[in-house]
Amino acid sequence: MEFNWGLMFSSYAAVFTPGILFMICVGTTAGIVIGALPGLTATMGVALLVPLTFGRPPLESLSMLMGIYCGAMYGGAISAILIRTPGTPAAAATVMEGYPMAKRGEAGRAMAMALFASFFGGVVGAVIMTFASPFISSIALEFGPVEYFALAIFGLSVIISISGRSLIKGMMAGFFGLLISAIGFDPISGFPRFTFGMVEMMEGPPFIPTLIGLFAVSEVFNEVQKSGVTQQVKAKLDQYLPSWQDIKYCFRELCRSSIIGTVIGAIPGAGGDIAAFISYGEAKRASKNPERYGHGEIEGLAASECANNSCSGGAMIPLLSLGVPGDAVTAVLLGAFVIQGLQPGPMLYKEHIDIVYQIFASMMLAQFAMQFIGMAGIQLFARVIMVDRAILTPAIFVLSVVGAFAMRSNIFDVYTTLAFGILGYVMTRYDYPLSPILLALILGPMAEANLRRAMVISGGDPSILVSRPIAIGLMVLAVISLILSIRGHQKVEARMAEMEAQFEKAVAD
Amino acid sequence: MKRRTMLAGAVALAAGIIVTPALAAYPDKPVTVICPWTAGGGTDVLLRALAKAAEKHLGQTINVVNQTGGAGAIGHNAIRAARPDGYTLGMITFELNSLPPQGLVPFTWKDFDPLMRINSDPAALTVRQDAPYNTVRGFMDYAKAHPGEITIGNSAPGSVWHIAAGLAAEKTGVQVKHVPFDGAQPAVTALVGGHIKAVAVSVAEVKGQVQAGNLKLLGVMSADRDKIFPDVPTFKEQGVDVQFYTWRGLGLPKGVPAPIKTKLADAFKKAYDSPEFQEFAAKASLNLAYQNSADFTKFLDQNYKDVEAVMKSLGLAKK
């Protein structure tokens, strides 16, 4: 499949018509709003709007869906930064740096960087998708159960990086997450485990309600506890774009994370949430100032936001060239393509190469639409943080409960949210990090199901785990990352202790 | 001005309330259809297309609500437990007959009032294009000659395709390893990547890869050949008498008054026959197989017995 420049230009021309541009903008705006609302994910947004595209011309409907996809990936960051609630699972890693920044009065700076990082990642993802599809798609098929198991193990090694001050507490949170991820159907035999006979527990702890409970509801409880002494967060909201200094400071991470994001996106089944966590962990490990992570380090925010948006471009690669969706959203998109009478895969390149290029073009334009619509929205959204806490806190609570219910229209999910809210509150009070639970919930089932699948295939022979080069590579990376992160952690601890000693000395003087 | 508007509004509202009971002909408010599977999945897309087409025949808005979880148990239970006033119905799927034998739900299809069957898709055995066998027999002979080598992917443990593959292996007396994935798509991907040897899923789910020349169909487990791939023989033609289908249909909670049931059946039948729905089904490669309430009820009874027997012999049913 060699690159056709002429066709690329004519595709851009086809997309650059008022009608299509309008559809992209509508999609992007809808996507940002859906992404920002906790409980509504990019997957749901696309799924709910697919029926609207029945009977519309392919380019029109696909460009709108591209807009939703890209917009929602950024939208999740808005609520993550402002109200500590990841709007989508992919924004879970954004909370760790974004919310502390907003609390410090830097909501504007964080929002501007999140938007720019999303844009940057999205553009890099779209460029790689345009030029390297055939090459990257060959990697995607190499991933079988063994490779997925190795990838999950590598991802779990990031727990060290997101543990906060105490490694032991981080590990405890991580193992707790792995433990509860074992609830529900056994992935191979199909019988339910640890459900106490409750139908609602059969698929394990529902992810979105757990996420909302751990982050949003726990913060609501925390605010309630402080009632009476709440101070208004003062936020400077004069920024649309990050300052040149911030961009320069984060540039290395932006480049690295957008590549990591695209590659992880291209692996079928691994989506923006995993990409964001791995990029965040890598950014922290490579950083000169790892002690600033967890306290509002803009570099970490840039890494996670950049990765989850570049992931979209990556996920489109196997969808278009192999007919294999790269993540949950593209799985829904696959359906949308089929409804349009287009079957993604090698045949699409042969029969409808024009559509393929038009999708490249609309994906790219969706990034620009996202940057401009996002800039227009920053002022509006960021004002949320200026709202009196006495009004904002109950509003977040209501939003959380509604968001938890919206996913499956099930009251059980609301109870889950409240239970995890209480758990999150207690854990935060005693300095246990919350993110390892999430990471374990995402990767635990992936590790378990694929390990067991590999065992079924090999007939119980564990040597299959070291029989494939990609898997060995990932396992080695996991070990290296583990060792380096632990050593890095010790260094951070030493530096923190030093700073605290100085501070105490200064106070004593 | 403002007061007058409010007054007018109040009068209109009151009039509405008084008049409504007089006109209380079903349906006078939006109808809800429960989908036990996630938004954007095959069942959901089908249901939304059908609901959209049925709206104008019913004369009311039809809202599709996804109540998912518990491998379909939650949604099916919600349909069963809904108020039988005709304002809530739902899509029932094959799992309604496979969940009870597994001991996962306390109800069976007998707790529902079946409205109509919509589609019925057979399982197909699909392998990689470069595989050394071209027929179901050849595949089974290879499996016998190479014990422990054949792995067949399916969409979930205890799922319709797991049962179908188990049944085919049992009938031919070969030993294969069943590898459950999270849905048909990942299983097909793993087959294209060469991580497993075969998949047993529906024709629609492998259509793209077969047309692209990556995979080949060895046989379909239906009575007649497939419409899209008429060259592919059925299992029966190849001497393996296995037929296995998944199905979807509409179901009501028990106790819906007969006139309302007739109205719903009419509206959805018209929607089923509408050109837009037929065109949708063709694009989505669905094997449409309408049955009215009475036939669907008979079908469900037989299907339940078959599924239960197969699951027991495969060790998938609760003892």
Side-chain angles (χ1 to χ4, degrees):
Chain A
M1 280 177 266
E2 64 190 50
F3 198 74
N4 187 336
W5 286 98
L7 191 56
M8 189 181 87
F9 288 120
S10 65
S11 304
Y12 272 88
V15 174
F16 245 107
T17 51
I20 303 297
L21 283 180
F22 177 73
M23 292 309 274
I24 292 181
C25 290
V26 169
T28 311
T29 313
I32 293 177
V33 173
I34 287 169
L37 288 171
L40 293 178
T41 61
T43 319
M44 276 189 85
V46 173
L48 293 177
L49 289 173
V50 162
L52 287 184
T53 66
F54 291 164
R56 300 215 152 264
L59 179 57
E60 213 174 276
S61 49
L62 293 176
S63 58
M64 182 177 83
L65 294 175
M66 288 292 122
I68 298 170
Y69 187 13
C70 300
M73 277 292 180
Y74 156 68
I78 299 172
S79 38
I81 293 170
L82 296 176
I83 58 173
R84 200 186 182 225
T85 310
T88 62
T94 308
V95 172
M96 286 187 280
E97 305 303 328
Y99 187 66
M101 281 183 78
K103 253 187 152 169
R104 214 163 53 202
E106 295 179 353
R109 184 172 166 229
M111 297 271 288
M113 181 45 97
L115 180 59
F116 180 76
S118 297
F119 169 73
F120 188 93
V123 168
V124 172
V127 167
I128 296 179
M129 168 175 119
T130 309
F131 293 101
S133 279
F135 171 70
I136 295 221
S137 62
S138 63
I139 304 177
L141 283 182
E142 290 298 315
F143 269 74
V146 180
E147 285 80 3
Y148 281 117
F149 172 66
L151 178 69
I153 296 297
F154 174 54
L156 283 170
S157 73
V158 171
I159 284 185
I160 306 292
S161 294
I162 57 174
S163 280
R165 298 249 0 218
S166 165
L167 265 190
I168 296 293
K169 285 181 175 172
M171 300 282 271
M172 284 168 76
F175 279 112
F176 173 72
L178 286 178
L179 204 64
I180 57 173
S181 79
I183 297 175
F185 282 122
D186 179 297
I188 301 301
S189 81
F191 284 100
R193 310 180 291 202
F194 316 120
T195 60
F196 303 100
M198 288 153 80
V199 174
E200 288 87 352
M201 300 263 279
M202 279 185 189
E203 280 170 2
F207 188 70
I208 305 273
T210 308
L211 178 88
I212 295 176
L214 278 179
F215 287 98
V217 177
S218 71
E219 184 64 9
V220 166
F221 292 153
N222 195 26
E223 287 293 332
V224 169
Q225 180 206 356
K226 286 194 296 195
S227 67
V229 288
T230 50
Q231 74 247 38
Q232 195 92 8
V233 181
K234 285 198 190 65
K236 272 205 315 206
L237 299 175
D238 50 359
Q239 264 184 310
Y240 290 100
L241 280 170
S243 67
W244 183 238
Q245 259 172 321
D246 278 348
I247 296 180
K248 244 185 3 202
Y249 180 65
C250 299
F251 190 71
R252 210 173 45 126
E253 269 331 306
L254 287 173
C255 293
R256 190 211 309 263
S257 304
S258 47
I259 307 265
I260 295 179
T262 314
V263 172
I264 291 185
I267 299 168
D273 41 5
I274 298 178
F277 270 115
I278 289 184
S279 294
Y280 177 86
E282 288 301 298
K284 185 178 177 187
R285 215 160 47 71
S287 168
K288 285 193 204 77
N289 309 305
E291 73 277 5
R292 289 196 204 151
Y293 277 69
H295 307 282
E297 168 66 22
I298 195 161
E299 203 179 54
L301 171 84
S304 64
E305 263 317 294
C306 183
N308 66 31
N309 276 71
S310 59
C311 189
S312 322
M316 290 299 290
I317 294 173
L319 175 69
L320 291 175
S321 52
L322 301 171
V324 166
D327 62 4
V329 188
T330 41
V332 179
L333 279 176
L334 177 66
F337 274 85
V338 172
I339 298 304
Q340 291 290 343
L342 301 165
Q343 180 72 51
M347 293 306 277
L348 191 68
Y349 275 75
K350 283 189 197 124
E351 289 169 0
H352 297 285
I353 186 75
D354 50 333
I355 293 277
V356 174
Y357 277 75
Q358 283 164 2
I359 288 167
F360 290 162
S362 48
M363 189 99 182
M364 185 61 91
L365 287 177
Q367 308 300 336
F368 285 89
M370 179 186 82
Q371 176 73 32
F372 286 112
I373 295 169
M375 280 194 327
I378 280 187
Q379 297 281 328
L380 197 71
F381 291 128
R383 255 168 232 289
V384 165
I385 204 158
M386 317 270 276
V387 174
D388 188 350
R389 283 274 149 180
I391 296 167
L392 187 61
T393 305
I396 294 176
F397 185 71
V398 171
L399 201 64
S400 304
V401 172
V402 172
F405 184 76
M407 202 67 196
R408 307 196 293 183
S409 318
N410 196 330
I411 193 73
F412 178 81
D413 292 350
V414 175
Y415 302 146
T416 309
T417 301
L418 293 178
F420 276 99
I422 295 168
L423 180 75
Y425 169 72
V426 173
M427 285 180 68
T428 316
R429 276 214 76 166
Y430 295 99
D431 280 329
Y432 287 86
L434 299 175
S435 307
I437 301 185
L438 277 193
L439 194 66
L441 275 180
I442 297 168
L443 295 172
M446 182 169 158
E448 192 208 348
N450 284 297
L451 174 65
R452 303 218 6 224
R453 239 168 249 151
M455 288 300 136
V456 171
I457 291 173
S458 74
D461 179 6
S463 69
I464 191 176
L465 296 179
V466 288
S467 66
R468 301 179 60 96
I470 295 181
I472 296 175
L474 282 168
M475 301 265 200
V476 170
L477 269 179
V479 173
I480 294 175
S481 144
L482 208 61
I483 295 171
L484 288 182
S485 314
I486 292 176
R487 283 181 53 186
H489 184 84
Q490 286 163 345
K491 234 186 282 172
V492 170
E493 277 308 298
R495 218 185 287 180
M496 294 283 264
E498 207 175 287
M499 274 161 63
E500 269 160 25
Q502 270 175 4
F503 178 72
E504 268 163 33
K505 203 169 151 233
V507 172
D509 288 347
Chain B
M1 174 61 203
K2 207 172 177 191
R3 190 185 298 170
R4 202 181 301 160
T5 333
M6 268 170 62
L7 205 66
V11 169
L13 201 69
I17 291 167
I18 296 162
V19 171
T20 317
L23 296 173
Y26 175 86
D28 63 353
K29 60 178 186 188
V31 173
T32 301
V33 189
I34 295 171
C35 175
W37 302 98
T38 10
T43 307
D44 177 69
V45 176
L46 164 72
L47 182 56
R48 281 175 199 271
L50 186 68
K52 204 176 157 210
E55 276 182 350
K56 56 175 174 286
H57 301 297
L58 199 61
Q60 271 295 346
T61 312
I62 301 177
N63 297 316
V64 175
V65 177
N66 301 85
Q67 283 192 280
T68 63
I74 289 177
H76 281 105
N77 191 40
I79 300 166
R80 183 187 65 93
R83 190 182 301 182
D85 55 4
Y87 287 102
T88 310
L89 67 160
M91 183 152 255
I92 53 179
T93 62
F94 172 85
E95 286 71 16
L96 178 57
N97 278 350
S98 67
L99 287 168
Q102 282 175 290
L104 295 178
V105 291
F107 52 82
T108 67
W109 70 271
K110 288 180 183 130
D111 298 298
F112 293 76
D113 186 359
L115 188 66
M116 60 194 267
R117 189 175 76 176
I118 293 164
N119 74 312
S120 152
D121 281 288
L125 187 66
T126 312
V127 296
R128 276 167 69 91
Q129 185 62 44
D130 55 12
Y133 26 74
N134 289 311
T135 58
V136 173
R137 274 273 160 232
F139 178 81
M140 296 303 176
D141 290 343
Y142 182 91
K144 266 180 203 154
H146 302 79
E149 199 184 295
I150 294 293
T151 43
I152 303 182
N154 59 60
S155 54
S159 66
V160 54
W161 307 138
H162 190 173
I163 301 167
L167 187 62
E170 197 195 42
K171 282 264 166 102
T172 49
V174 296
Q175 288 286 320
V176 296
K177 293 184 277 193
H178 300 284
V179 189
F181 284 80
D182 321 317
Q185 196 61 53
V188 174
T189 308
L191 177 62
V192 176
H195 304 282
I196 49 176
K197 297 284 185 213
V199 290
V201 295
S202 76
V203 174
E205 283 155 338
V206 291
K207 183 181 146 205
Q209 298 293 353
V210 171
Q211 285 174 342
N214 292 330
L215 302 179
K216 62 184 173 192
L217 282 158
L218 296 185
V220 285
M221 300 185 200
S222 51
D224 306 306
R225 291 193 178 193
D226 189 77
K227 282 175 218 141
I228 311 164
F229 298 103
D231 297 340
V232 178
T234 64
F235 267 59
K236 198 175 178 185
E237 286 176 56
Q238 302 185 50
V240 183
D241 192 5
V242 183
Q243 287 187 24
F244 215 77
Y245 301 82
T246 186
W247 51 263
R248 299 186 184 112
L250 293 173
L252 298 169
K254 272 231 162 304
V256 175
I260 291 181
K261 187 180 165 187
T262 316
K263 252 189 186 165
L264 279 170
D266 282 350
F268 278 99
K269 178 67 173 57
K270 278 181 192 146
Y272 175 91
D273 290 330
S274 68
E276 61 259 43
F277 180 74
Q278 292 287 330
E279 190 194 344
F280 159 84
K283 274 186 183 166
S285 315
L286 283 172
N287 189 35
L288 289 181
Y290 173 82
Q291 275 185 332
N292 65 20
S293 179
D295 293 341
F296 189 27
T297 309
K298 260 183 253 155
F299 166 81
L300 284 174
D301 189 32
Q302 189 55 46
N303 186 255
Y304 180 74
K305 284 176 192 151
D306 293 347
V307 172
E308 194 183 25
V310 177
M311 290 185 84
K312 270 199 182 129
S313 71
L314 293 179
L316 287 167
K318 198 172 185 177
K319 271 148 209 126

